[in-house]
């Protein structure tokens, strides 16, 4: 309880002390309120000067508002300066917008640290947007601003209207509203305007009224190179360069003052300005000023160090053939005592680039002499001078004057000669130029003379002539000399030139060099070098001409002193793609002697024409041949030829021939077909267009012949080897293919004598020959005619007469034989009797049964044999020739199967018939009953057993079945092979 009372006592004591302190502390006074606020606007600079009476406060709060919209434009604490005399504070504010755009309200209060006074009374700067000003306005008007600045423009529309658009030059701007009628835009970083300025225009709506302003964007002045000098040794003339263009002209242009005196500036070339000072002051100050700023320059110098003489006046000339004297006068008399140095510039009228200068000096110099001029030539001359001591600058050039020198004797012509292959020659001389002729040329005189024989001929030619043809053969017949001297002189209005001569041999003595060198065009000429010739006592002559030319060629030449051994041949007549022959001659007291020769092009081109190409087939190769390209079409040194083969639209390189003398190329191993070959000549510049030739490769006939001969040779060799082999092995071959047939062993006693043999005649058959018209009548065939009844009765007769058969030599018709009917047999037989042939059988059978034919008509008619041939397939009943009958079947050879028609062997057609026949079969190979008879009748054995005609010795029947296989073999092969074997018999 006691503790709480002490705490409350402490709190109460503290409060009492604080209260007493507050009662005894004095209160801080508030600053005085600013009074008598005055607004002073400067519309051109958009500055507002504010002044007021404000007591002892050091800082003030300044508030600026747009009156109509009550928007704050500026609110800051500022320090204002105090006018001691008036005791007023003043501060200047620069507005971004023109002050005319809208009304502004200004209030000020004093500030002393955190303590401020009350606000002053509102002061209003009235704008142009007051309701009383009902028109449309644009601000600012005709403003001049520097490049890169930002400028705000405002448009005040009419009362009751709205803004439609504002344009800056050609750009549409986005406005900001300042008041009910006022709108503002800002152009940022303005670029250099036109010299007439940039237009800013605004439109209101409705009724679309407009107003605008112009802004000029430029630079402040910046002159340079300010210097002063004297011309008359009394006054000063100061010059400077304007520097960069300010882009401001007229009343906004730059104004200059020299030593605070206005300068009446006169412009000169290269933007050089000039201003005069009547007296030499020694020090000068130049000030340049325009709406954007000003710039000052100074200069100082002594008069004697800045003398620049005026241009000489009244030039005059006195001329001769080779010299001229030029004189002049001075504008100022003071130059008479001034040491001067002068330039005289001389320019030939026909060659202005060849101007030259002559420098002379002297006290008050007034003339100069020009030396080493050319006669009869027009010149132009002008003069300028400077101070010889303390030289400052050259003065201005005088006006030029012209003069012409007098004519004089021309120079000696440059003479050379050209000898043709027909022993004619040209005397050639170079026409004199105006600078060499020293006047107008009237004629050239050419004189031929021989000093030893004292013969002389002179001819005169017009000034346009530069060559004369001479017949060397005719001159050689007039005297014994080997050379003549030709002299050429030129005549002009100024006199006659010295003679120029050349020696011409009447007989060709030059020996062509064995080797012609190539020279490369370099740096505008052909560089040549050679070894000095000790005999060249007069000069060297270098001659060149077009290599295509061969008669009266246009020749160029130059003459060199004897000590020279190098030269670069240059000519304006040289053309690309043309070969030039360059020759070096030594000139002595005798005729010129050829020392060396070159050839070259100033520029090689591709050939202008192609070769003449031809193709020739040689066996399986193709020979390409071409001619030489004419020299005029080569246009460069040929390096070789490229050979191509055409594959459709592409060319494939076959060969590159690096020898330009090549004229042939052989394409090896070309197969059959069509080909196109192209040959292109090439120089260092490339290939020509090429020549193309086509060829069709045919089969090689010689190879075919060789193949045939080779085949025949191989076949012959094979046959020869086979023959030798068979001959060596003939016993084995005979044993293998033709073994000996053992003789039959017959029973009986052959040693006893045989009795007479009872031979009964065999039955005969009638054979009809049938004619075939389309066959050769020389060939025959036999047709079997069936036996008649009366013939059958005769078979049983016992007679010793040999049986006779009737054959008819009619050609067998190939058409089938019609069936014979009984009623037509007699007529057929009677028709054939006219060609009857008797056939006698001489064969003897050892068995009687083999001679007797037992017919079995019934049995034979039942057996069906295949037909041998269509010609023999038709017969009566079953007794035709194609069926098994009992009649005789003689040997026949059908013409249908004749070897001449390429058919098979005739024997094969009758083999089936022979095999099935039951008739008579005579033996072509048989043996006698006894060896004795065999020995005696060995020579008759081949003829036994075969019927023969009484008119022929040929066998009509085959030799027998045992030789049927042999007849099937080809006759040719059997013949030589049989002979071969037969020759091997021991």
């Amino acid at each position: 309880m006691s503790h709480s009372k002490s705490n409350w006592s402490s709190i109460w004591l503290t409060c009492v002390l604080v209260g007493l302190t507050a009662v005894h502390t004095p209160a801080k006074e508030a600053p005085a309120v600013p009074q008598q606020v005055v607004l002073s606007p400067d519309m051109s600079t958009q500055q507002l000067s504010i002044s007021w009476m404000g007591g002892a406060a050091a800082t003030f709060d300044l508030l600026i508002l747009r009156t109509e919209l009550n928007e704050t434009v500026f609110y800051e604490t500022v320090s204002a300066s105090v006018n001691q005399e008036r005791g007023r504070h003043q501060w200047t504010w620069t507005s971004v917008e023109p002050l005319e755009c809208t009304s502004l309200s200004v209030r000020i209060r004093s500030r002393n640290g955190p303590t401020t006074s009350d606000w002053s009374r509102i002061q209003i700067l009235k704008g142009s947007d007051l309701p009383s000003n009902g028109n449309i306005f644009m601000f600012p008007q005709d403003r001049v601003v520097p490049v890169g600045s930002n400028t705000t423009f405002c448009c005040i529309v009419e009362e009751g209207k709205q803004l439609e658009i504002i344009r800056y030059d050609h750009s549409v701007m986005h406005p900001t509203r300042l008041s009910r009628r006022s709108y503002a835009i800002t152009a940022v970083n303005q670029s250099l305007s036109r010299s007439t300025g940039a237009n800013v225009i605004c439109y209101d709506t409705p009724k679309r009224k407009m107003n605008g302003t112009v802004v000029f964007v430029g630079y402040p002045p910046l002159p340079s190179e300010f210097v002063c000098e004297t011309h008359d040794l009394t006054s000063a003339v100061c010059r400077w360069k304007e520097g960069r263009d300010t882009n401001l002209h007229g009343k906004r242009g730059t104004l200059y003052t020299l030593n605070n005196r206005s300068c009446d500036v006169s412009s000169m070339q290269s933007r050089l300005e000039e201003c005069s000072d009547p007296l030499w002051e020694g020090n000068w100050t130049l000030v340049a000023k325009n709406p954007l700023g000003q710039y000052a320059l100074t200069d100082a110098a002594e008069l004697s160090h800045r003398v620049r003489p005026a241009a000489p006046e009244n030039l005059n000339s006195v001329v001769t053939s080779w010299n001229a004297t030029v004189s002049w006068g001075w504008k100022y008399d003071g130059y008479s005592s001034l040491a001067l140095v002068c330039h005289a510039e001389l320019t030939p009228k026909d060659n202005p680039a060849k101007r030259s200068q002559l420098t002379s000096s002297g006290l008050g110099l007034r003339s100069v002499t020009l030396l080493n001029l050319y006669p009869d030539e027009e010149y132009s001359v002008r003069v300028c001078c400077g101070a010889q001591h303390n030289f400052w600058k050259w003065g201005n050039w005088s006006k030029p004057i012209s003069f012409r020198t007098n004519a004089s004797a021309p120079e000696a012509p440059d003479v050379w000669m050209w000898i043709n292959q027909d022993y004619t020659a040209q005397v050639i001389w170079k026409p004199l130029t105006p600078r060499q002729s020293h006047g107008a040329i009237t004629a050239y005189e050419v004189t031929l003379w021989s000093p030893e024989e004292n013969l002389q001929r002179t001819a005169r030619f017009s000034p346009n002539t530069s060559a004369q043809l001479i017949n060397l053969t005719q001159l050689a017949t007039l005297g014994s000399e080997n050379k003549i001297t030709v002299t050429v002189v030129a005549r002009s209005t100024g006199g006659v030139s010295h003679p120029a001569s050349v020696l011409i041999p009447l007989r060709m003595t030059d020996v062509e060099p064995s080797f012609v060198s190539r020279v490369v065009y370099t740096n505008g000429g052909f560089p040549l070098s050679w070894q000095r010739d000790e005999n060249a006592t007069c000069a060297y002559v270098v001659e060149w001409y077009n290599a295509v030319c061969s008669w009266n060629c246009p020749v160029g030449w130059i003459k060199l002193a004897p000590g020279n051994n190098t030269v670069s041949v240059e000519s304006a007549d040289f053309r690309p793609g043309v070969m030039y022959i360059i020759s070096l001659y030594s000139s002595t007291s005798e005729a010129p002697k050829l020392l060396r020769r070159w050839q070259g092009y100033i520029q090689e081109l591709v050939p202008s024409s192609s070769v003449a190409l031809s193709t020739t087939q040689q066996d399986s190769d193709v020979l390409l041949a071409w001619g030489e390209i004419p020299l005029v079409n080569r246009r460069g040194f040929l390096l070789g030829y490229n050979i191509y083969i055409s594959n459709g639209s592409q060319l494939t390189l076959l060969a590159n021939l690096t020898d330009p003398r090549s004229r042939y190329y052989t394409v090896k191993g070309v197969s059959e077909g069509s080909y196109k070959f192209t040959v292109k000549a090439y120089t260092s510049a490339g290939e020509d267009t090429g020549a193309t030739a086509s060829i069709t490769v045919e089969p090689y006939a010689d190879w075919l012949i060789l193949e045939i001969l080779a085949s025949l040779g191989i076949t012959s060799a094979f046959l020869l080897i086979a023959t030798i082999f068979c001959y060596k092995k003939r016993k084995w071959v005979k044993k293998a293919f033709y073994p000996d047939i053992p003789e039959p062993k017959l029973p009986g006693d052959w040693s006893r004598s045989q009795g007479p043999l009872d031979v009964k005649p065999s039955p005969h058959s009638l054979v009809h020959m049938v004619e075939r018209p389309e066959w050769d009548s020389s060939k025959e065939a036999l047709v079997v005619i069936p036996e008649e009844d009366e013939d059958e009765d005769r078979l049983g007769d016992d007679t010793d007469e040999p049986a006779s058969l009737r054959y008819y030599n009619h050609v067998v018709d190939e058409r089938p034989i019609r069936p014979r009917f009984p009623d037509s047999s007699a007529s057929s037989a009677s028709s054939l009797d006219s060609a009857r042939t008797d056939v006698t059988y001489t064969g003897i059978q050892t068995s009687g049964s083999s001679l007797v034919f037992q017919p079995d008509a019934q049995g034979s008619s039942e057996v069906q044999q295949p037909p041998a041939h269509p010609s023999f397939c038709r017969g009566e009943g079953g007794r035709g020739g194609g069926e098994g009958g009992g009649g005789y079947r003689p040997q026949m050879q059908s013409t249908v199967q004749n070897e001449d028609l390429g058919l098979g062997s005739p024997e094969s057609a009758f083999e089936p018939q022979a095999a099935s026949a039951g008739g008579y079969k005579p033996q072509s190979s048989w043996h006698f009953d006894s060896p004795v008879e065999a020995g005696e009748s060995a020579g008759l054995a081949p003829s036994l057993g075969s019927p023969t005609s009484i008119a022929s010795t040929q066998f009509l029947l085959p030799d027998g079945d045992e030789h049927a296989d042999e007849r099937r073999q080809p006759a040719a092969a059997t013949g030589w092979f049989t002979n071969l074997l037969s020759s091997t018999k021991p």
Side-chain angles (χ1 to χ4, degrees):
M1 186 69 178
S2 62
H3 179 68
S4 106
K5 287 180 178 181
S6 63
N7 288 339
W8 280 106
S9 298
S10 299
I11 295 173
W12 179 83
L13 180 61
T14 300
C15 291
V16 171
L17 292 174
V18 171
L20 292 174
T21 303
V23 171
H24 292 283
T25 302
K28 190 174 182 179
E29 297 182 0
V33 177
Q35 301 294 328
Q36 300 178 15
V37 177
V38 178
L39 303 179
S40 301
D42 184 354
M43 300 301 181
S44 63
T45 60
Q46 297 182 187
Q47 290 181 342
L48 177 61
S49 178
I50 306 170
S51 63
W52 67 91
M53 299 296 292
T59 59
F60 301 88
D61 292 338
L62 183 60
L63 177 62
I64 302 175
L65 303 172
R66 293 189 183 102
T67 304
E68 188 172 335
L69 299 180
N70 199 27
E71 294 177 346
T72 300
V73 179
F74 181 82
Y75 177 49
E76 287 184 8
T77 299
V78 299
S79 297
S81 61
V82 179
N83 190 332
Q84 298 296 331
E85 295 180 0
R86 299 179 183 180
R88 297 182 66 85
H89 296 273
Q90 185 176 355
W91 191 81
T92 301
W93 172 65
T94 301
S95 175
V96 175
E97 298 95 5
L99 298 178
E100 300 95 337
C101 293
T102 187
S103 297
L104 299 175
S105 300
V106 179
R107 299 180 70 183
I108 305 173
R109 69 181 178 183
S110 300
R111 174 177 290 276
N112 188 3
T115 306
T116 59
S117 68
D118 293 335
W119 289 103
S120 67
R121 295 178 61 181
I122 295 177
Q123 295 296 319
I124 296 176
L125 177 65
K126 295 180 180 180
S128 298
D129 59 348
L130 297 176
S132 59
N133 296 331
N135 294 328
I136 185 171
F137 299 100
M138 191 78 184
F139 298 102
Q141 288 292 319
D142 299 334
R143 180 65 57 84
V144 179
V145 297
V147 174
S149 62
N150 301 332
T151 305
T152 300
F153 302 88
C154 68
C155 177
I156 302 174
V157 299
E158 289 186 354
E159 186 70 32
K161 302 289 185 65
Q162 298 293 326
L163 178 68
E164 179 180 351
I165 192 174
I166 300 178
R167 293 180 182 273
Y168 179 88
D169 223 359
H170 299 291
S171 301
V172 176
M173 308 299 290
H174 301 286
T176 300
R177 193 165 194 170
L178 303 180
S179 67
R180 184 172 49 85
R181 293 171 55 198
S182 182
Y183 299 87
I185 63 168
T186 300
V188 180
N189 193 20
Q190 292 171 273
S191 60
L192 196 68
S193 66
R194 299 183 297 273
S195 60
T196 56
N199 296 323
V200 184
I201 303 173
C202 70
Y203 299 86
D204 63 6
T205 183
K207 294 187 179 179
R208 192 176 173 82
K209 286 188 177 181
M210 63 166 287
N211 202 336
T213 184
V214 178
V215 59
F216 298 90
V217 184
Y219 295 102
L222 188 64
S224 62
E225 300 183 21
F226 175 62
V227 66
C228 296
E229 61 190 14
T230 183
H231 300 307
D232 57 4
L233 306 179
T234 301
S235 64
V237 177
C238 297
R239 295 184 180 88
W240 64 91
K241 285 188 177 179
E242 181 184 357
R244 68 185 177 187
D245 186 6
T246 62
N247 201 42
L248 302 176
H249 305 281
K251 64 181 181 179
R252 286 170 289 274
T254 303
L255 299 177
Y256 296 94
T257 60
L258 181 63
N259 288 349
N260 296 323
R261 292 187 300 270
S262 178
C263 282
D264 187 9
V265 177
S266 59
S267 297
M268 303 178 66
Q269 294 180 354
S270 303
R271 304 187 64 81
L272 191 64
E273 307 290 341
E274 181 178 295
C275 184
S276 298
D277 190 351
L279 295 175
W280 186 269
E281 299 183 18
N283 292 285
W284 301 272
T285 299
L286 177 70
V287 177
K289 184 178 180 180
N290 73 1
L292 297 179
Q294 68 178 22
Y295 196 83
L297 294 172
T298 61
D299 185 33
E302 294 182 8
L303 186 145
S304 61
H305 292 183
R306 295 291 180 89
V307 177
R308 185 182 184 192
E313 297 178 334
N314 304 321
L315 270 68
N316 194 12
S317 63
V318 177
V319 299
T320 63
S321 296
W322 303 93
N323 305 322
T325 300
V326 179
S327 60
W328 62 88
W330 293 111
K331 181 179 180 180
Y332 305 108
D333 296 335
Y335 287 3
S336 299
S337 59
L338 181 65
L340 297 172
V341 58
C342 295
H343 275 327
E345 184 180 75
L346 185 68
T347 304
K349 281 296 183 66
D350 60 347
N351 191 1
K354 292 280 184 152
R355 64 169 50 99
S356 60
Q357 286 188 352
L358 176 65
T359 302
S360 299
S361 61
L363 190 65
L365 188 65
R366 293 177 180 271
S367 65
V368 65
T369 300
L370 305 175
L371 305 176
N372 300 323
L373 304 182
Y374 289 95
D376 195 41
E377 188 162 346
E378 188 173 359
Y379 293 92
S380 172
V381 64
R382 63 178 183 170
V383 180
C384 71
C385 299
Q388 185 175 6
H389 304 296
N390 301 318
F391 180 83
W392 166 240
K393 287 181 181 179
W394 288 105
N396 295 332
W397 286 102
S398 67
K399 293 180 179 180
I401 63 167
S402 298
F403 61 88
R404 177 180 287 276
T405 55
N406 300 330
S408 180
E411 296 180 5
D414 189 357
V415 181
W416 186 236
M417 54 85 183
W418 171 268
I419 300 178
N420 297 309
Q421 297 296 328
D422 59 352
Y423 288 95
T424 60
Q426 280 194 111
V427 178
I428 312 168
W429 60 91
K430 293 180 180 179
L432 296 178
T433 65
R435 182 158 288 186
Q436 295 171 333
S437 61
H438 304 164
I441 296 295
T442 58
Y444 290 100
E445 292 182 357
V446 179
T447 302
L448 307 180
W449 64 288
S450 174
E452 296 184 1
E453 299 183 6
N454 198 20
L455 297 176
Q456 181 172 327
R457 298 179 182 178
T458 301
R460 178 173 293 189
F461 301 95
S462 67
N464 298 326
T465 305
S466 61
Q468 172 62 29
L469 189 64
I470 299 174
N471 191 330
L472 299 180
T473 304
Q474 182 179 1
L475 293 176
T477 60
L478 298 178
S480 60
E481 292 294 320
N482 292 327
K483 62 181 181 297
I484 61 171
T485 302
V486 180
T487 300
V488 180
V489 296
R491 289 185 175 273
S492 72
T493 56
V496 180
S497 70
H498 293 289
S501 61
V502 62
L503 290 174
I504 300 180
L506 298 181
R507 296 168 181 82
M508 299 295 292
T509 58
D510 284 345
V511 178
E512 289 294 326
S514 59
F515 178 74
V516 178
S517 303
R518 291 185 180 181
V519 60
V520 179
Y521 189 81
T522 306
N523 297 327
F526 291 105
L528 307 178
S529 61
W530 60 90
Q531 301 237 343
R532 288 190 177 92
D533 183 15
E534 301 299 334
N535 297 324
T537 57
C538 296
Y540 290 108
V541 179
V542 179
E543 168 198 88
W544 63 88
Y545 60 92
N546 189 331
V548 178
C549 181
S550 60
W551 193 82
N552 284 351
C553 299
V555 181
W557 72 92
I558 55 175
K559 294 181 178 180
L560 305 173
N564 291 340
N565 64 341
T566 60
V567 70
S568 179
V569 178
E570 302 175 3
S571 174
D573 298 330
F574 287 153
R575 296 290 180 269
V578 177
M579 177 186 284
Y580 294 96
I581 302 297
I582 305 174
S583 304
L584 174 66
Y585 293 88
S586 64
S587 179
T588 63
S589 58
E590 301 296 327
K593 176 184 177 183
L594 178 63
L595 299 180
R596 193 170 176 184
R597 183 159 285 170
W598 296 267
Q599 60 184 0
Y601 295 83
I602 69 168
Q603 180 184 356
E604 294 192 49
L605 304 176
V606 298
S608 60
S609 66
S610 304
V611 298
L613 180 63
S614 63
T615 57
T616 305
Q617 180 179 350
Q618 294 183 347
D619 302 340
S620 62
D621 302 336
V622 174
L623 176 64
L624 306 179
W626 58 89
E628 186 178 13
I629 298 178
L631 180 61
V632 67
N633 296 331
R634 294 180 191 173
R635 306 202 303 174
F637 293 113
L638 291 183
L639 302 180
Y641 301 89
N642 286 331
I643 314 297
Y644 297 93
I645 185 172
S646 176
N647 296 324
S649 60
Q650 295 182 346
L651 295 178
T652 302
L653 181 64
L654 291 180
N656 169 243
L657 307 181
T658 58
D659 185 2
R661 296 171 297 179
S662 300
R663 295 293 178 269
Y664 302 95
Y665 180 76
T666 301
V667 183
K668 301 284 187 180
V670 181
S671 58
E672 298 179 12
S674 297
Y675 299 90
K676 285 185 178 181
F677 297 96
T678 300
V679 176
K680 294 185 178 183
Y682 63 91
T683 65
S684 62
E687 298 177 331
D688 62 9
T689 55
T692 302
S694 301
I695 187 173
T696 300
V697 178
E698 304 291 345
Y700 177 37
D702 294 346
W703 275 110
L704 182 61
I705 295 173
L706 291 177
E707 290 177 359
I708 294 174
L709 294 178
S711 300
L712 293 176
I714 293 173
T715 304
S716 301
F718 176 77
L719 294 177
L720 179 61
I721 293 173
T723 303
I724 295 174
F725 175 79
C726 294
Y727 180 78
K728 295 291 185 181
K729 302 293 184 178
R730 58 186 179 278
K731 293 183 179 181
W732 175 82
V733 172
K734 182 176 182 300
K735 182 178 179 180
F737 295 100
Y738 290 91
D740 293 337
I741 301 175
E743 295 180 355
K745 295 182 180 180
L746 301 177
D749 188 6
W750 285 40
S751 59
R752 63 182 182 89
S753 59
Q754 300 291 335
L757 179 63
D758 186 11
V759 178
K760 296 181 180 181
S762 60
H764 66 275
S765 298
L766 296 179
V767 179
H768 283 225
M769 307 296 293
V770 181
E771 181 180 3
R772 295 193 61 173
E774 64 269 21
W775 284 15
D776 190 354
S777 61
S778 63
K779 297 184 180 181
E780 297 178 353
L782 301 179
V783 178
V784 179
I785 301 177
E787 298 176 354
E788 302 294 341
D789 294 338
E790 64 272 17
D791 294 335
E792 295 178 357
D793 295 338
R794 294 178 59 185
L795 292 175
D797 294 343
D798 186 9
T799 176
D800 294 335
E801 295 291 331
S804 297
L805 295 180
R806 291 186 297 273
Y807 289 84
Y808 301 91
N809 295 330
H810 277 236
V811 177
V812 180
D813 191 355
E814 192 174 53
R815 293 170 295 180
I817 301 175
R818 299 187 187 92
R820 298 176 66 248
F821 297 97
D823 57 355
S824 63
S825 61
S827 62
S828 300
S830 61
S831 64
L832 299 174
D833 288 342
S834 61
R836 177 175 300 176
T837 302
D838 294 335
V839 179
T840 304
Y841 281 88
T842 59
I844 300 176
Q845 299 289 340
T846 59
S847 173
S849 60
S850 64
L851 301 177
V852 180
F853 175 67
Q854 300 296 335
D856 187 359
Q858 172 127 9
S860 63
S861 62
E862 294 177 357
V863 179
Q864 299 294 330
Q865 298 291 340
H869 195 275
S871 303
F872 306 100
C873 290
R874 293 182 177 89
E876 284 188 72
R879 298 183 302 173
E883 299 178 359
Y888 166 70
R889 299 177 184 276
Q891 179 180 6
M892 293 179 295
Q893 184 171 355
S894 174
T895 58
V896 176
Q897 297 174 346
N898 194 298
E899 292 181 1
D900 293 340
L901 298 179
L903 303 178
S905 175
E907 290 82 1
S908 61
F910 296 96
E911 286 176 1
Q913 296 175 355
S916 62
Y920 167 71
K921 296 181 180 181
Q923 299 291 327
S924 61
S925 178
W926 59 281
H927 301 275
F928 292 94
D929 291 341
S930 66
V932 178
E933 294 175 349
E936 294 176 359
S937 304
L940 300 175
S943 64
L944 296 179
S946 176
T948 60
S949 172
I950 60 175
S952 175
T953 60
Q954 300 294 326
F955 295 124
L956 299 180
L957 297 180
D959 293 340
D961 293 339
E962 61 274 14
H963 300 289
D965 294 335
E966 296 176 5
R967 291 193 304 271
R968 295 188 184 98
Q969 300 178 359
T974 304
W976 75 269
F977 201 66
T978 304
N979 294 335
L980 176 64
L981 297 177
S982 63
S983 64
T984 61
K985 295 180 181 180

